Amino acid sequence: HEFRFIDPITIEERVRRLIDCGVDLITVHGRTRFENKVAVGPVNWDDIHAAATIAREYSGDVNFPVFSNGGIEYFSDIQDCFDKTLCSGVMS
């Protein structure tokens, strides 16, 4: 399941709900549905990092797969994303 950041549901609440529903993988887009890379610029990798941390702690699985979506323009961005988000994979 992929989600974007929206209020009023917090990242923690969204991740917990998804895990409680039995998802096997979570993909997080680092912008809201109203934002885009032209208007906003870089994605919010801090929130993706938070989602990955919460998913792994809440599920009890240190390898729970969380993918980052957005913010990959160049090949070098992939390693930056891994380093900053601790995600399992990236989408662009």
Side-chain angles (χ1 to χ4, degrees), residues 60-92:
D61 179 356
V62 297
N63 295 310
F64 189 93
V66 176
F67 281 56
S68 174
N69 188 351
I72 307 299
E73 188 170 349
Y74 303 104
F75 186 76
S76 60
D77 294 334
I78 296 169
Q79 189 60 52
D80 288 343
C81 180
F82 281 130
D83 293 343
K84 293 176 182 171
T85 66
L86 302 179
C87 64
S88 309
V90 297
M91 297 174 62
S92 179

Side-chain angles (χ1 to χ4, degrees), residues 13-58:
E13 184 178 353
R14 171 81 39 134
V15 168
R16 287 175 180 243
R17 285 181 182 184
L18 290 170
I19 291 170
D20 287 344
C21 288
V23 299
D24 295 320
L25 176 142
I26 296 172
T27 301
V28 184
H29 198 291
R31 297 183 183 98
T32 70
R33 65 186 183 132
F34 302 107
E35 298 172 330
N36 65 50
K37 65 184 172 189
V38 174
V40 176
V43 299
N44 187 336
W45 281 347
D46 291 337
D47 283 348
I48 296 172
H49 180 275
T53 301
I54 292 163
R56 292 175 183 140
E57 289 175 359
Y58 186 69

